[in-house]
């Protein structure tokens, strides 16, 4: 995609007028119109300002720079790069600190990077090929050989998962085939859709939170997501605590 088309597409996706974007980027609507028509070629700093003003993910900012003929501004380091060692240490600390509740870290595609020992209760009974570092947690959640048979509210939970996969079209199409029809809810859902999961410690009712590294300037780091499960009722909190007490002492979070 050429730069003018790439810029127009991203501006339209965010429902910004040329004037809105120009004001955010500290330029004029007339100049932005010339850029989008190809009559003016922006400098590298202007491309960076436009990308920042559009609040694009770092990967897309690099793509916009490449479309304009400039080198990417943001590095994409392998997670095992020494420069990211403090990040790996921080992730390990966060996963341990969330015990006895499950927590995991995934990359942009939903592939598992690491998880704490409490996540074993979530994955119990799932096929071995769907579990472990490098496997896809979205596929684990909805595959018939994964968590799906144990999820009481599968239709509602599946749509929560699918809504997060807009950038993964092939995976979304695959997983949508596993999702049952959604029946109208008999009452109010409350403030969040819980995951209702059958386990060896009884039914778990779990809420999830997602955390990202908001100030990251490395593409890999910016795309990591920490997903933490929290008990939605006292019975679930007690079940998770009981599972932790029964687990082997000294087990570390999954390999990174």
């Amino acid at each position: 995609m050429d730069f003018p088309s790439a810029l127009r597409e991203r501006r339209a996706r965010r429902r910004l007028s040329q004037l809105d974007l120009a004001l955010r980027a500290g330029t004029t609507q007339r100049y932005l119109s010339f850029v989008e028509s190809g009559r003016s070629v922006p400098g590298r700093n202007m491309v960076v300002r436009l990308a920042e003003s559009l609040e694009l993910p770092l990967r897309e900012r690099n793509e916009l720079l490449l479309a304009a003929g400039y080198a990417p501004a943001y590095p994409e380091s392998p997670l095992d790069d020494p420069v990211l060692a403090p990040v790996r240490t921080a992730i390990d600390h966060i996963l341990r600190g969330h015990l006895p509740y499950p927590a995991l870290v995934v990359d942009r595609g939903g592939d598992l990077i690491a998880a704490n020992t409490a996540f074993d209760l979530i994955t119990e009974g799932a096929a071995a090929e769907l579990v472990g570092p490098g496997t896809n947690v979205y596929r684990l959640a909805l595959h018939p050989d994964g968590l799906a048979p144990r999820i009481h509210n599968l239709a509602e939970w599946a749509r929560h998962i699918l809504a997060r996969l807009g950038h993964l079209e092939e995976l979304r199409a695959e997983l949508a085939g596993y999702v049952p029809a959604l029946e109208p809810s008999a009452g109010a859902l409350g403030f969040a859709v819980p995951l209702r999961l059958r386990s060896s410690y009884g039914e778990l009712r779990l809420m999830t939170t997602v955390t990202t590294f908001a100030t990251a300037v490395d593409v890999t780091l910016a795309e990591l997501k920490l997903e933490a499960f929290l008990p939605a009722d006292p019975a679930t909190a007690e079940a998770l605590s009981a599972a932790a007490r029964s687990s082997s002492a000294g087990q570390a979070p999954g390999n990174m």
Side-chain angles (χ1 to χ4, degrees), residues 49 58 61 72 76 106 115 132 137 145 177 190 196 202:
R49 279 162 52 191
L58 300 190
R61 297 185 193 189
E76 184 174 357
V106 298
V137 298
D145 294 329
R196 296 179 52 205

Side-chain angles (χ1 to χ4, degrees), residues 154-156 159 178-184:
L154 179 59
E156 289 177 340
R159 277 153 181 76
Y178 303 141
V179 178
L182 178 63
E183 296 294 332

